[in-house]
Amino acid sequence: MTATHTARHARRLRKRFVLPAAGAALAAAAALVPGSASAAYPNPGVLTGDIAVHDPSMVKTPSGYVLYSTHNGIEARTSTDRTHFKRAGSAFTNLPSWWATYSKDRSPWAPDVSYHGGKYLMYYAVSSFGSTHSAIGFASSPSGQPGTWTDHGIVHSTTTSSGYNAIDPNLFVDRDGKWWMSLGSWSSGIKMIRLDPSTGKQYAGDRTLYSIAARPTGSKAVEGPAVVRRGAYYYLFASYDVCCAGVNSTYKIKVGRAGSPTGPYIDKNGVRMTAGGGSEVLATHGRYIGPGGQSVLPDSDGDLLVYHYYDGQDNGAPKLGVNLLNWSGGWPTAY
């Protein structure tokens, strides 16, 4: 973990968010209504309420949407219409004691939530500053609602000599029933391991650590993976460059695709993501600075790209962004 990475996460966990004032709910409940884009990228859909977040991940439940994010025992927000969000406590009311081994303030990062096998699943990272002494934890819930999560302990961990960092987990469940988790890792690239569906933890029959994205030269900064499948291809979304610096953030979202969940992932120009490749999906434009920390949620009207950005017209405050993805032509385009 670099000094930049340490400072970035320190800011992420300690930042006192200034919440935007709640606006009126939109009449079209489920619709995203992007404003006119000021560059090649679309503005986020219009959102109101408590939308001050980092590293958002959203799941749809029978009672509406629940969004989890970094900070305060994994912050929760709820919405009935995917437009207006309300603060709703935290995922955990009692913080697991093992978190203290990796973080003195027991504050986890970058939750990943999904629904599989009749229950809601959450993977998240806990780390100590300035070190790759990190762990990814796993929890489950019957409803996905804040305060209902049961923690199941560590899935994967790293030490100061591991050479990569166990942060930013993302679960991908393939059509053949195999479970995979991408993770990491800032300066040493994004990795993938296989999970056991019966336990939610690492699969004993395959302990391979696959490398699926890296930047061998120049800036090493790539993290925050999310893997999805469309047709014959697997797509890896990742966040590149610097997060959590307000208006000075340079985060951007890139993507590559592969014929296998373990890669190789290749961008539109034929460059492997392990060789620094990646085609931009979303980057700074106008007031919307440093989009990243993304996840992808399939919904009734299409796949949603869920992310945070920094508002250049609100002193760089971190805010939630949501856009739909168009997959025509074999590559995702945010709109």
Side-chain angles (χ1 to χ4, degrees):
M1 182 183 294
T2 65
T4 299
H5 193 202
T6 302
R8 180 176 62 86
H9 281 297
R11 286 191 295 269
R12 172 184 289 174
L13 296 175
R14 296 170 182 168
K15 193 171 187 68
R16 294 183 180 275
F17 296 135
V18 179
L19 303 184
L26 298 182
L32 290 173
V33 186
S36 59
S38 59
Y41 301 107
N43 296 344
V46 177
L47 303 174
T48 61
D50 186 337
I51 57 170
V53 302
H54 273 118
D55 309 318
S57 181
M58 187 160 59
V59 67
K60 189 175 184 179
T61 75
S63 60
Y65 299 87
V66 186
L67 182 136
Y68 290 98
S69 62
T70 291
H71 210 60
N72 293 333
I74 306 180
E75 290 183 343
R77 291 161 179 80
T78 58
S79 175
T80 58
D81 59 10
R82 210 178 69 194
T83 298
H84 183 76
F85 288 82
K86 296 180 180 179
R87 184 77 168 84
S90 300
F92 297 96
T93 53
N94 297 306
L95 304 185
S97 60
W98 69 264
W99 290 3
T101 302
Y102 298 92
S103 171
K104 291 182 179 179
D105 57 4
R106 294 196 293 171
S107 188
W109 308 337
D112 173 68
V113 291
S114 58
Y115 180 80
H116 296 286
K119 58 187 175 182
Y120 295 86
L121 309 176
M122 177 185 291
Y123 291 89
Y124 59 87
V126 186
S127 185
S128 56
F129 298 138
S131 168
T132 56
H133 179 60
S134 309
I136 290 170
F138 168 55
S140 63
S141 164
S143 65
Q145 299 300 314
T148 67
W149 293 88
T150 299
D151 190 66
H152 303 295
I154 297 172
V155 175
H156 190 71
S157 62
T158 51
T159 69
T160 55
S161 60
S162 293
Y164 67 102
N165 204 6
I167 58 170
D168 295 359
N170 171 251
L171 172 66
F172 169 69
V173 176
D174 206 353
R175 296 172 187 173
D176 61 5
K178 291 180 180 178
W179 286 28
W180 302 92
M181 186 173 72
S182 52
L183 60 106
S185 182
W186 184 246
S187 62
S188 54
I190 294 172
K191 314 299 182 182
M192 178 175 276
I193 60 174
R194 186 173 168 187
L195 300 183
D196 187 338
S198 67
T199 64
K201 297 187 177 183
Q202 193 159 6
Y203 180 59
D206 183 356
R207 309 293 290 189
T208 307
L209 181 71
Y210 300 91
S211 180
I212 57 175
R215 302 174 78 179
T217 60
S219 172
K220 305 288 187 180
V222 54
E223 61 184 3
V227 174
V228 300
R229 184 172 180 177
R230 292 284 299 190
Y233 289 108
Y234 301 83
Y235 294 82
L236 170 61
F237 294 79
S239 296
Y240 285 61
D241 296 325
V242 178
C243 168
C244 309
V247 296
N248 295 315
S249 300
T250 57
Y251 240 17
K252 56 184 67 69
I253 301 169
K254 294 188 178 185
V255 70
R257 69 184 187 186
S260 162
T262 58
Y265 288 89
I266 299 171
D267 69 15
K268 292 179 182 179
N269 295 319
V271 180
R272 292 192 179 200
M273 292 184 78
T274 50
S279 297
E280 280 191 8
V281 177
L282 202 61
T284 294
H285 58 286
R287 69 186 288 183
Y288 307 100
I289 297 169
Q294 75 292 322
S295 58
V296 178
L297 171 65
D299 206 351
S300 57
D301 54 344
D303 291 335
L304 305 175
L305 184 66
V306 182
Y307 57 94
H308 69 250
Y309 68 91
Y310 300 89
D311 191 342
Q313 294 183 10
D314 191 13
N315 298 314
K319 294 183 180 179
L320 174 66
V322 180
N323 287 88
L324 283 159
L325 291 173
N326 183 337
W327 292 91
S328 62
W331 292 93
T333 303
Y335 70 98

